[in-house]
């Protein structure tokens, strides 16, 4: 995942479904640029990008011309709750990208301390612009 890898860019591709994974012709490609501190709003931005691309495709069809994919297939495995485990021996800074992509409801961040599991839900403070408080 782009967020987990630390990238602030996610490339979206609208492509034709094919029998092989990630191999269909590409109709549209767009890049979503992030500021690096998105949390749950990341899903909203991704959904909006997908919606916009679908509407653009429909507006252009049937005159849109696909291009062949090049290179090796690439995809990410489905995340599981285990993927949201924090390492308490590491800094928050080093695990910030993991915190950006967890879901507070479906698969919240968690850690173990002395054999006990603790769940961490994180939300940005929207009460002030500076956040210095």
């Amino acid at each position: 995942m782009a967020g987990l890898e630390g990238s602030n860019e996610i490339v979206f591709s609208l492509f034709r479904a094919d029998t092989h994974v990630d191999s269909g012709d590409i109709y549209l490609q767009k890049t979503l640029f992030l500021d690096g501190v998105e949390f749950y709003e990341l899903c909203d931005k991704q959904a909006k990008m997908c919606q916009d691309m679908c509407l653009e495709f429909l507006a252009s069809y049937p005159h849109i011309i696909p291009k062949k994919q090049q290179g090796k297939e690439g995809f990410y495995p489905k995340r599981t709750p285990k993927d949201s485990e924090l390492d308490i021996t590491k800094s928050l800074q080093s695990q910030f990208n993991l915190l950006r992509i967890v879901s507070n409801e479906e698969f919240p961040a968690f850690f173990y301390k002395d054999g006990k599991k603790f769940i961490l839900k994180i939300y940005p403070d929207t009460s002030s612009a500076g956040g210095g408080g």
Side-chain angles (χ1 to χ4, degrees):
M1 305 207 71
L4 186 57
E5 295 169 351
S7 173
N8 285 331
E9 298 178 5
I10 302 173
V11 177
F12 286 78
S13 300
L14 190 148
F15 59 92
R16 180 183 312 208
D18 201 355
T19 55
H20 299 289
V21 175
D22 198 17
S23 63
D25 293 348
I26 297 173
Y27 288 103
L28 293 170
Q29 271 190 326
K30 304 271 183 182
T31 301
L32 175 61
F33 297 96
L34 306 170
D35 60 22
V37 293
E38 293 87 354
F39 280 88
Y40 63 89
E41 69 270 18
L42 181 57
C43 292
D44 292 338
K45 288 182 177 185
Q46 291 173 321
K48 176 81 169 104
M49 176 68 81
C50 289
Q51 180 183 31
D52 290 348
M53 288 178 71
C54 288
L55 292 173
E56 182 178 340
F57 173 81
L58 291 173
S60 302
Y61 189 81
H63 305 291
I64 191 165
I65 300 170
K67 63 179 181 178
K68 295 282 183 196
Q69 286 201 44
Q70 297 181 357
K72 291 184 69 174
E73 67 183 28
F75 56 93
Y76 292 94
K78 182 178 179 179
R79 293 184 54 77
T80 67
K82 179 74 176 144
D83 294 320
S84 296
E85 184 173 1
L86 297 169
D87 182 343
I88 63 172
T89 66
K90 294 182 179 177
S91 71
L92 281 177
Q93 178 68 33
S94 71
Q95 298 178 93
F96 189 77
N97 288 324
L98 173 61
L99 290 170
R100 286 176 64 196
I101 63 170
V102 299
S103 165
N104 285 332
E105 304 311 318
E106 297 174 57
F107 43 90
F110 68 94
F111 61 91
Y112 289 96
K113 171 76 172 139
D114 298 329
K116 185 168 173 83
K117 183 177 182 179
F118 294 87
I119 294 175
L120 179 65
K121 294 187 178 186
I122 187 165
Y123 301 92
D125 181 1
T126 57
S127 65
S128 65

